[in-house]
Amino acid sequence: VATIQDVAVRAGVSTATVSRALNGKSTVNPALVHRVITAARELEYEPNGLARSLRRQETAVWALVITDIQNPFFTSVARGVEDGAQAAGYSVVLCNSDENPQKEQEYLKVSLQERVAGVILWPTSVHTDVSRLLEHDVAVVTIDRALRGRSVDAVLGGSRSGARRGTRHLVAQGYRRVACVTGPSGNPAADECLAGYEDAIRAHPGGDGDALVRRVPGQVKEGYAATIDLLAQPDPPDALFVANGPLAAGALEALAARRLRAGRDVGIVAFDDAPWTRLVDPPLTVVSQPAYDVGRTAARLLLSRLDYPSAAARTVTLGADLVVRGSSSR
Amino acid sequence: VATIQDVAVRAGVSTATVSRALNGKSTVNPALVHRVITAARELEYEPNGLARSLRRQETAVWALVITDIQNPFFTSVARGVEDGAQAAGYSVVLCNSDENPQKEQEYLKVSLQERVAGVILWPTSVHTDVSRLLEHDVAVVTIDRALRGRSVDAVLGGSRSGARRGTRHLVAQGYRRVACVTGPSGNPAADECLAGYEDAIRAHPGGDGDALVRRVPGQVKEGYAATIDLLAQPDPPDALFVANGPLAAGALEALAARRLRAGRDVGIVAFDDAPWTRLVDPPLTVVSQPAYDVGRTAARLLLSRLDYPSAAARTVTLGADLVVRGSSSR
DNA sequence: GTGAAAGCGCTAACAA
DNA sequence: TTGTTAGCGCTTTCAC
């Protein structure tokens, strides 16, 4: 493996000149630039990013820590982040915390040790601790998490208002017992979702509170089980508000297993406008969050944070849209 | 930001001792270990991974370069890789090449410059060049790509045989004009898929070759357009074999738009056993690849490659299963 | 415009 | 068992 030394020797110049030439500094004789580039190519020289970052005391890498890579919503967010980063010359490494606070902490530690320039974090819980990162001057942007204690930049996806709108819509369609299937307590997105649901329900008494709420890990299997459980109650719900796409897939499976038809028998509205939601019969009414824009915005916030490290923290809230389809009417 | 120096001063020892203590070397006085650890905590010391890797000439990071993070199949592969890596103490960074050879090349370059320990690569095309990595002694494992030129470890997902089985199944069900919607030419998975389709079709003449084949980027929108196009032909197909989940979602949308019912009007079999494939009506017949195991196996191959850099290249082939549901019978 | 040399933070000989 | 020291590969003053 060739080093900058080898290139310098071959080109008959000093390592300083090689460095300058390869980094496009204008103060280098064109003839030398040419010799350096030729030598580098001949030796198949690849600059050592570790050494460069160590010396420069900065890296061109962001970490994006998300909770569930299986959820299509996150993958759209990831694209938004990536596009924003790439445009500014940063690479993004994706870390999947898998809803596991320990894994999350591990990835945050690695991010810190590898001295990434910034972290975009979808926290597994409101207890996730980022103070360590902040103290080490790593820029942090959180997604879907209200500020608490230390103020950090955040982009909020409108989970609460979206859940409120979705639930209200079900009530307006004449459903009387609307249940809610959402993620674990402490999970910011899940908490927001529940809060929005409760906003809407409080205005329309008739529910019996927690009997109609199920909090489970946000995967297909759990959505199925929670729905089966809800339907088995003495006084089962006649509608469901569901916090994400995988949970919704599980809920629909459960309805099918119980020979219930979405809409006619049990109204259902869910977060995440995944491609398949239009394919099921009846098509699924969804609350659509601007996933790509969330990612793009997070990238934007991170960039300006890197430019102005001591600026006041900003929060950007994006709106969610209700897309009415067949699953929310009889 | 505290360095090992600061810790050494505070603990009243040399940096060497700090390093040894923090890395759990057994040859250090327990009392000193305690002092060092206390000092490190008090200073909120975080080791600088860049400096460590530079000195050790090795990193504990793998790059996983995939072509489409939106495809659920890849996300399962990613989990398999991650689990295998984590068990051995490696972190995995995910790079999304987005079917774009340029982006892919960029990520491979970054991997090389950051001196990752190994790369697991799902290539965008058979032309993807990994020689640079190999020359720099970066371990490489490819997924779903037959060896060409340089021999590298590979795990094959059984795309060809799966496509063959799926297509044969359609023929056996009595469909006469089976079309194929697959990814771009050069994309290894797409090529394998087409090859399997052709294996099956050749045995049952009656098709007219390329008129029934559509090669498009593997996304929902393209699947829709390709299917609309196929159906608009003078002599349209009565069945479809589709190369991945997103394409299949698009194909189903197209059928719905043309008021055709899957199975009865147009038989359809697709790769990827996504959760939603059971929810559509009729449920989708799929070829199911063992995605998680593919990832797990790739991790295993990479680990043994790291242990034995000069061993002969290995290829592991995993089988695909045909899951017959309603969309492939009248 | 170019080179010599220092040093980023860490680990691993080698000495003591 | 502990400390001293060299050096990983690069960038960047500071002289020239």
Side-chain angles (χ1 to χ4, degrees), chain B residues 4 19 45 48 52 55:
Chain B
I4 202 172
S19 174
Y45 169 73
N48 185 321
R52 160 182 287 173
R55 175 62 232 237

Side-chain angles (χ1 to χ4, degrees), chain A residues 4 19 45 48 52 55:
Chain A
I4 203 172
S19 174
Y45 169 73
N48 185 322
R52 158 182 289 173
R55 174 61 230 236

Side-chain angles (χ1 to χ4, degrees), chain A residues 62-66 77-78 81 92-96 118-121 143:
Chain A
W62 293 355
L64 171 60
V65 184
I66 58 179
V77 172
V81 170
V92 177
V93 307
L94 244 146
C95 309
N96 181 25
V119 173
I120 295 177
L121 170 68
I143 298 183

Side-chain angles (χ1 to χ4, degrees), chain B residues 17-96:
Chain B
T17 300
V18 174
S19 174
R20 286 190 280 251
L22 260 27
N23 287 299
K25 299 267 189 278
S26 54
T27 66
V28 56
N29 187 327
L32 286 192
V33 172
H34 183 73
R35 260 162 59 200
V36 167
I37 292 191
T38 309
R41 195 173 26 232
E42 285 167 354
L43 293 170
E44 300 204 308
Y45 169 73
E46 286 289 345
N48 185 321
L50 298 167
R52 160 182 287 173
S53 300
L54 177 60
R55 175 62 232 237
R56 284 204 177 148
Q57 297 285 74
E58 67 183 33
T59 55
V61 176
W62 292 356
L64 171 58
V65 184
I66 59 180
T67 59
D68 180 14
I69 198 188
Q70 306 260 29
N71 186 331
F73 179 67
F74 288 94
T75 60
S76 290
V77 172
R79 285 180 167 238
V81 169
E82 215 171 24
D83 288 351
Q86 219 131 47
Y90 290 93
S91 302
V92 177
V93 307
L94 244 146
C95 310
N96 181 24

Side-chain angles (χ1 to χ4, degrees), chain A residues 58-235:
Chain A
E58 68 181 34
T59 55
V61 177
W62 293 355
L64 171 60
V65 184
I66 58 179
T67 59
D68 180 13
I69 197 189
Q70 305 260 27
N71 186 331
F73 179 66
F74 288 95
T75 58
S76 290
V77 172
R79 283 178 169 242
V81 170
E82 216 171 25
D83 288 352
Q86 220 129 49
Y90 290 92
S91 303
V92 177
V93 307
L94 244 146
C95 309
N96 181 25
S97 70
D98 210 14
E99 303 270 16
N100 179 343
Q102 258 171 301
K103 261 184 153 180
E104 178 183 52
Q105 209 53 47
E106 177 65 23
Y107 275 121
L108 292 180
K109 200 173 102 188
V110 171
S111 300
L112 185 49
Q113 296 191 346
E114 298 301 324
R115 301 295 194 266
V116 300
V119 173
I120 295 177
L121 170 68
W122 192 301
T124 59
S125 114
V126 291
H127 304 111
T128 299
D129 184 20
V130 297
S131 55
R132 214 54 192 272
L133 288 165
L134 295 175
E135 279 155 17
H136 285 258
D137 295 321
V138 179
V140 176
V141 173
T142 65
I143 298 183
D144 232 17
R145 181 201 193 184
L147 311 176
R148 155 174 299 205
R150 293 207 165 246
S151 64
V152 298
D153 295 304
V155 33
L156 307 179
S159 297
R160 181 166 186 166
S161 62
R164 190 162 47 219
R165 285 178 66 184
T167 307
R168 270 190 197 148
H169 168 68
L170 283 167
V171 171
Q173 292 291 318
Y175 297 99
R176 286 286 152 250
R177 286 180 61 75
V178 182
C180 178
V181 179
T182 185
S185 173
N187 176 315
D191 288 349
E192 288 289 295
C193 180
L194 181 61
Y197 162 82
E198 286 176 338
D199 290 346
I201 290 298
R202 250 199 302 281
H204 295 267
D208 39 5
D210 292 353
L212 290 178
V213 172
R214 290 293 178 281
R215 309 205 63 163
V216 295
Q219 304 297 331
V220 178
K221 213 170 59 182
E222 283 78 12
Y224 178 87
T227 305
I228 290 289
D229 179 44
L230 280 167
L231 294 172
Q233 291 198 128
D235 191 4

